[in-house]
Amino acid sequence: MKHLLLYSILLLSITASSQIKGTIVDKENQPIPYVNIYIENTYKGTTSNEAGYYELALEKTGELTIVFQSLGYKTVKKTITKTNAPYELSISLSEENVSLDEVVVNAEENPADIIMRKVIAARKTNLEKIQSYKADYYSRGLIRIKNAPEKFLGQEIGDLGGGLDSTRSGIIYLSETISKIEFLRPDKLKEKIAASKVSGDDNGFSFNNAIDVDFNFYNNTLEFGSEMISPIANNAFGYYRYKLEGIFYDDRGNLINKINVIPRRPNDPVFSGDIFIVEDQWTIYALKLVLTGVQARIPVADKITLEQNFSYSETDDIWAMRSQSIDFSYGIFGIKGDGRYTAVFSNYEFNTGLNTSDFGRELVAFEAEANKKDSLFWKKLRPVPLTSEEVQDYIKKDSIETLQNSKPYLDSVDRAENKFKLPNIVTGYTYQNSHKDYRLGYDLPLSSLQFNTVQGYTVGAYVFFRKNYDDFKRYLNINGNLQYGFSDERLRGTFSATYKFNDITDAFLTFSSGTQVLQFNNANPIRPFINSISTLVFEDNYAKFYERYFVQLRHSEELFNGFRLTSLLSYEKRNPLFNTTDQVFDNDENDFYTSNNPLNETAFGIAPFESHNILKFFTSARINFGQNYLSYPGSKFNINSEKYPTLVLTYEKGFSATNDSYNFDQVKAQLFQSLALGNKGRFRYNIKTGKFFNAENIAFVDYQHFNGNQTHVSTSGNYTNVFNNLDYYSASTNDSYLEAHAEHDFNGFILGKLPLINKLNFNLIIGAHLLSIPENKPYQEYSIGVDNIGFGKWRFLRLDYVRSYQSGFKSDAIVFGLKFF
């Protein structure tokens, strides 16, 4: 009884915390969603939900003026006298009368162009008005699925956490956060999350954060899949046309211009829709803009609608964003759905004297117990009331979670899932114990069916065991691989065991051992599938192999933010291998395979190195300059900064070899970066250099090999780590070397401006590549290509023309890029 009384008093105190609530409708008595409700001349407010319902919790009493503002409706102000009792205030809004009656049209120039030129001229001034701010921030994310299939790629989908109805439609993700954010121009933003809630996961942490939805249209471009051009960017007239739809006056008497934004080319990274501009101040009053998945280069997205609403502070002379919503629809592989992300900003403090010392590399942090807040907490502080659909989702999934986490339920699920069925003989089998959180089984992957001239046809099997220990992603992972070659009649296998210590420094320790067939270049420049086709169909056995017996210990850990150290110690026995088959699809007597000797393709039966044992030590430091991160309880998510490159420093040593001449030392360095250049596309570079010591007669296995491409088929997403017209081993070296790659993807900047061609939505890419070693003249490649080839959302092809030079023109080639491997 005492606890019940205490609960009742607490509930009454929350309800009585000067709460104003009500419903907002239009003149047809239909609810108006996402109306901004706030106290006049403040940034204390809330937003109505999809049903038009709102709740505004206030501690202040007395006379207050409440403002109701929504895009497309006339702003309404209501002055009330507030006591400690709950206050009911429902409002009906009238549609805004947008008219051209008062507009003086100049026949010589489009009036919208005149307005937008003034907005663009004032863009930088308006951008710099807010040098810093602090604010309260609330976000909610919701994703629905429609008519979900029962299976996807042969795998059971299930009911997705209990969110699906009888039509297999419903909410699959619902979460909320309450946080405080701080911002410093030009791009410092950090967030401290006080509360986080995920439907159906009482231990979950929402991934909604302010950084991911920080869209400022006063910047020239916005990162939204690709770099989108703002309608008020300095170069906006090259991408947009404008039409003045009409004007109206807000509650302060400001004249507001409604401008329709029209893309000049539909496939450019641009928006369409309406932007509302305050006359004379030339600031954004509100906007509602649309982009497609094609424009954003997000294939899964169909349409994305972004709406922002601003309000004016007389005290600060600033128009600041009060709310933002992002609605989207998606579809891929027959799976369709929609969603919405809502953000509400309140209690702004502008230009508070924040400086760079107030910001570190941590962008997001959680308060202790942020995911343990009860319903009373959320009832009091949630600025946007839940809809009935959202309430039901929380209730249903929270009750289901309690059931689904119980041992009897988990055991019943396991009994059903663990039944061995006849097809499992060839498709694989998994046994799981959900209560103890481990799983084990085997797989017979189709990808293990391969062909090479050393082993002939191969098949493989994969066995695994994984045990998860806690929510912080500590786990033990044990697996084994078996491979049988039908031509050399050899069964080989490997074993590995990995333990992950934590999810903050991401520390791993791996022990592995076994026997395997490897390419001389450990970067595996030829994918097994590509090599199988090249060998069997075209009789070009470019891949060259050797055999390795090994015992290896590897450790990797981030010692401090942005600095990861990886070390490896191994004992290896290497043997040369020889062709054991000449099987091809077309048995032409004039065709034959080259030898498995990468030094001489006609050296049949001659080994490229002698069998030997060796110990190898490897240590590598990876430095991500300017790395930011998100801190979740027990986890750390690193975010590389595009402003700075990544540097990798490596030392490798071979010692105690059975052939003393095979001992060596090597130091090497790599510097690479990928950066967006606004609307000009994306530029990438990758520079590698290194030097061998005491390595005059080392085994060819340990040479520095470079990624060539003689098949002229590539499965790389970009070409900053490959020479697409270079032999695989002709440039391998045991001396010093310099390797450099640069590639620029114009991302529609050029082809998007060409009539007719711009309808294809292709991207122009140019590249340059250099390789310098002491023994040869510098080798160079230059390429020009087209990416994003395909139809609809299926754009997995790339086509490049490559020319190579070495003391003059050497050769050229066409390279086909396949991005679905």
Side-chain angles (χ1 to χ4, degrees):
M1 177 63 71
K2 182 175 70 173
H3 293 293
L4 180 60
L5 179 61
L6 180 62
Y7 178 85
S8 301
I9 292 172
L10 181 60
L11 183 61
L12 286 171
S13 66
I14 291 171
T15 305
S17 63
S18 203
Q19 188 183 69
I20 304 172
K21 59 184 179 180
T23 303
I24 306 169
V25 298
D26 60 18
K27 294 303 180 183
E28 302 296 326
N29 206 35
Q30 295 300 309
I32 305 176
Y34 314 117
V35 177
N36 291 305
I37 305 103
Y38 59 94
I39 302 173
E40 188 176 32
N41 292 324
T42 75
Y43 284 98
K44 179 67 177 178
T46 185
T47 302
S48 64
N49 65 18
E50 290 183 4
Y53 179 71
Y54 76 94
E55 294 177 356
L56 178 58
L58 302 173
E59 296 179 0
K60 184 178 179 181
T61 60
E63 188 172 276
L64 300 171
T65 299
I66 310 299
V67 181
F68 298 82
Q69 180 190 41
S70 181
L71 197 59
Y73 294 88
K74 291 182 179 180
T75 298
V76 171
K77 295 181 180 180
K78 289 290 184 179
T79 300
I80 64 171
T81 300
K82 187 68 188 68
T83 65
N84 281 329
Y87 196 100
E88 182 81 23
L89 182 59
S90 294
I91 293 293
S92 176
L93 299 183
S94 302
E95 289 189 9
E96 187 65 71
N97 181 24
V98 179
S99 171
L100 285 170
D101 293 345
E102 299 182 33
V103 178
V104 178
V105 179
N106 183 342
E108 296 181 359
E109 187 171 6
N110 178 359
D113 289 353
I114 297 173
I115 294 168
M116 295 306 293
R117 291 187 197 282
K118 292 178 179 179
V119 175
I120 293 170
R123 180 192 65 82
K124 189 174 181 181
T125 299
N126 286 322
L127 178 66
E128 294 178 348
K129 275 188 176 181
I130 301 178
Q131 290 296 314
S132 66
Y133 69 76
K134 298 179 180 180
D136 291 339
Y137 178 77
Y138 168 82
S139 66
R140 183 186 301 168
L142 180 148
I143 303 176
R144 301 183 186 91
I145 194 169
K146 297 179 180 178
N147 304 316
E150 294 186 359
K151 290 185 177 182
F152 180 69
L153 298 179
Q155 299 297 315
E156 296 282 349
I157 292 179
D159 64 354
L160 299 176
L164 304 186
D165 59 20
S166 59
T167 67
R168 298 189 59 77
S169 301
I171 296 175
I172 58 174
Y173 176 77
L174 172 62
S175 69
E176 301 173 89
T177 61
I178 292 176
S179 58
K180 292 185 179 295
I181 58 176
E182 295 181 0
F183 170 81
L184 177 68
R185 272 194 48 77
D187 56 3
K188 300 288 186 183
L189 179 63
K190 68 178 182 179
E191 180 176 10
K192 186 65 174 288
I193 296 178
S196 176
K197 185 176 178 66
V198 180
S199 181
D201 186 358
D202 60 3
N203 289 319
F205 291 91
S206 170
F207 282 87
N208 310 339
N209 58 64
I211 294 165
D212 288 338
V213 291
D214 180 28
F215 301 123
N216 189 338
F217 281 82
Y218 288 108
N219 291 320
N220 283 315
T221 61
L222 299 86
E223 176 62 38
F224 211 126
S226 62
E227 292 288 327
M228 307 296 296
I229 310 299
S230 169
I232 63 171
N234 291 341
N235 59 345
F237 275 88
Y239 290 87
Y240 296 101
R241 296 185 178 90
Y242 304 98
K243 179 182 178 182
L244 178 61
E245 296 285 338
I247 63 170
F248 62 91
Y249 292 88
D250 71 359
D251 59 295
R252 296 178 178 274
N254 294 306
L255 189 153
I256 310 298
N257 299 280
K258 181 181 180 182
I259 306 292
N260 186 227
V261 175
I262 307 165
R264 289 184 178 273
R265 295 167 295 274
N267 290 335
D268 277 354
V270 293
F271 301 89
S272 61
D274 297 314
I275 185 168
F276 298 78
I277 302 298
V278 183
E279 185 84 6
D280 295 329
Q281 299 180 53
W282 311 119
T283 60
I284 299 174
Y285 173 82
L287 57 83
K288 188 172 184 179
L289 298 173
V290 176
L291 64 154
T292 65
V294 171
Q295 292 166 331
R297 305 299 192 266
I298 305 175
V300 70
D302 291 328
K303 186 174 76 170
I304 303 169
T305 301
L306 178 65
E307 182 173 336
Q308 294 181 347
N309 290 280
F310 297 74
S311 63
Y312 180 71
S313 169
E314 287 185 350
T315 305
D316 304 291
D317 187 29
I318 286 173
W319 288 85
M321 191 192 308
R322 184 172 291 280
S323 66
Q324 175 178 271
S325 63
I326 303 170
D327 291 277
F328 60 91
S329 58
Y330 65 89
I332 191 75
F333 300 121
I335 298 175
K336 296 183 178 182
D338 58 43
R340 182 183 182 90
Y341 282 87
T342 302
V344 177
F345 301 81
S346 60
N347 299 326
Y348 276 110
E349 298 176 46
F350 295 107
N351 302 324
T352 57
L354 290 171
N355 56 61
T356 54
S357 64
D358 296 311
F359 295 82
R361 293 299 176 187
E362 185 181 56
L363 304 181
V364 173
F366 283 77
E367 293 183 1
E369 303 295 312
N371 66 335
K372 303 300 182 184
K373 306 299 184 184
D374 59 22
S375 58
L376 298 178
F377 173 91
W378 285 98
K379 178 69 175 175
K380 179 179 179 180
L381 294 182
R382 178 187 286 123
V384 183
L386 298 174
T387 64
S388 59
E389 178 189 28
E390 292 164 341
V391 169
Q392 290 302 313
D393 189 73
Y394 273 130
I395 294 173
K396 180 181 179 182
K397 288 183 181 175
D398 288 348
S399 61
I400 290 176
E401 182 190 18
T402 303
L403 171 65
Q404 291 181 339
N405 287 337
S406 67
K407 187 177 185 301
Y409 178 84
L410 293 174
D411 289 346
S412 67
V413 171
D414 289 344
R415 280 193 297 270
E417 294 292 332
N418 291 338
K419 289 181 180 179
F420 189 89
K421 302 173 183 177
L422 187 61
N424 292 134
I425 296 174
V426 294
T427 62
Y429 172 74
T430 298
Y431 175 88
Q432 63 185 25
N433 187 316
S434 300
H435 180 67
K436 295 183 178 180
D437 205 1
Y438 71 81
R439 58 200 301 269
L440 55 91
Y442 72 91
D443 190 18
L444 302 173
L446 185 61
S447 60
S448 70
L449 179 59
Q450 305 166 13
F451 180 86
N452 63 68
T453 58
V454 169
Q455 297 171 283
Y457 286 100
T458 68
V459 294
Y462 172 71
V463 294
F464 59 88
F465 169 84
R466 180 178 175 115
K467 165 67 176 174
N468 297 315
Y469 290 100
D470 52 31
D471 292 335
F472 301 152
K473 300 182 177 66
R474 289 190 305 128
Y475 63 76
L476 173 65
N477 195 48
I478 300 174
N479 61 68
N481 285 282
L482 294 172
Q483 185 187 52
Y484 181 76
F486 285 91
S487 181
D488 67 348
E489 299 180 343
R490 285 284 307 278
L491 177 67
R492 298 177 175 90
T494 61
F495 165 86
S496 71
T498 298
Y499 182 76
K500 182 176 181 180
F501 293 89
N502 63 73
D503 205 39
I504 297 177
T505 65
D506 204 26
F508 290 88
L509 181 64
T510 300
F511 171 80
S512 56
S513 181
T515 307
Q516 56 189 165
V517 173
L518 297 176
Q519 294 186 45
F520 279 85
N521 183 347
N522 60 16
N524 296 318
I526 312 177
R527 298 285 294 272
F529 175 77
I530 300 297
N531 180 66
S532 299
I533 298 300
S534 175
T535 304
L536 287 169
V537 178
F538 301 102
E539 301 171 23
D540 292 324
N541 57 315
Y542 294 122
K544 308 300 177 184
F545 302 94
Y546 74 99
E547 183 178 59
R548 181 178 79 142
Y549 297 82
F550 71 98
V551 178
Q552 179 175 288
L553 191 66
R554 180 178 183 268
H555 179 264
S556 181
E557 183 173 9
E558 186 181 55
L559 300 183
F560 52 86
N561 183 53
F563 185 93
R564 171 168 285 275
L565 186 67
T566 301
S567 298
L568 181 150
L569 180 65
S570 66
Y571 165 79
E572 301 181 12
K573 179 181 179 181
R574 288 97 158 256
N575 295 321
L577 295 173
F578 304 94
N579 290 349
T580 63
T581 180
D582 58 1
Q583 182 176 356
V584 294
F585 282 168
D586 180 13
N587 291 307
D588 189 332
E589 295 181 357
N590 296 321
D591 294 330
F592 58 89
Y593 289 131
T594 59
S595 76
N596 190 52
N597 189 329
L599 297 171
N600 185 346
E601 65 179 20
T602 63
F604 295 95
I606 300 176
F609 65 92
E610 66 179 47
S611 296
H612 64 281
N613 303 337
I614 191 171
L615 288 172
K616 290 192 69 176
F617 173 74
F618 168 99
T619 186
S620 178
R622 180 186 178 107
I623 307 167
N624 293 324
F625 295 104
Q627 175 180 283
N628 296 316
Y629 63 94
L630 314 180
S631 291
Y632 284 74
S635 296
K636 177 173 181 276
F637 296 87
N638 295 325
I639 302 174
N640 290 341
S641 173
E642 287 194 350
K643 292 182 178 180
Y644 306 99
T646 294
L647 175 65
V648 180
L649 301 174
T650 302
Y651 170 69
E652 184 180 16
K653 182 177 182 64
F655 60 102
S656 298
T658 50
N659 183 336
D660 289 341
S661 63
Y662 283 3
N663 296 329
F664 71 95
D665 297 90
Q666 183 187 187
V667 293
K668 50 188 176 181
Q670 179 183 10
L671 189 72
F672 60 93
Q673 187 177 8
S674 172
L675 60 158
L677 301 180
N679 65 317
K680 308 299 189 301
R682 179 167 291 275
F683 176 73
R684 298 179 176 90
Y685 68 85
N686 184 12
I687 302 170
K688 301 179 184 180
T689 186
K691 170 69 177 175
F692 284 87
F693 299 92
N694 308 313
E696 292 79 8
N697 297 302
I698 64 172
F700 190 71
V701 172
D702 295 310
Y703 274 49
Q704 179 65 35
H705 305 292
F706 305 99
N707 295 331
N709 186 0
Q710 291 173 264
T711 66
H712 298 147
V713 175
S714 176
T715 57
S716 303
N718 64 77
Y719 297 157
T720 56
N721 197 35
V722 61
F723 296 95
N724 272 316
N725 203 27
L726 179 69
D727 294 351
Y728 291 105
Y729 296 106
S730 62
S732 299
T733 183
N734 60 345
D735 202 340
S736 58
Y737 56 89
L738 173 65
E739 175 183 0
H741 306 268
E743 183 175 273
H744 186 76
D745 182 347
F746 286 96
N747 198 24
F749 178 71
I750 292 179
L751 298 185
K753 293 179 172 61
L754 301 179
L756 299 181
I757 293 179
N758 59 18
K759 297 182 182 299
L760 300 174
N761 200 28
F762 292 167
N763 298 335
L764 179 67
I765 300 179
I766 58 174
H769 311 264
L770 169 70
L771 176 60
S772 178
I773 56 177
E775 307 94 284
N776 298 330
K777 295 289 185 181
Y779 173 84
Q780 304 142 56
E781 278 185 8
Y782 302 95
S783 63
I784 184 169
V786 176
D787 195 9
N788 208 40
I789 301 173
F791 55 91
K793 296 183 177 182
W794 307 93
R795 295 181 173 269
F796 301 129
L797 303 179
R798 172 176 170 174
L799 190 65
D800 289 77
Y801 173 67
V802 183
R803 289 179 67 88
S804 56
Y805 297 83
Q806 195 170 26
S807 298
F809 174 74
K810 187 175 182 181
S811 64
D812 58 358
I814 300 293
V815 177
F816 296 88
L818 307 174
K819 294 186 289 184
F820 49 81
F821 282 93

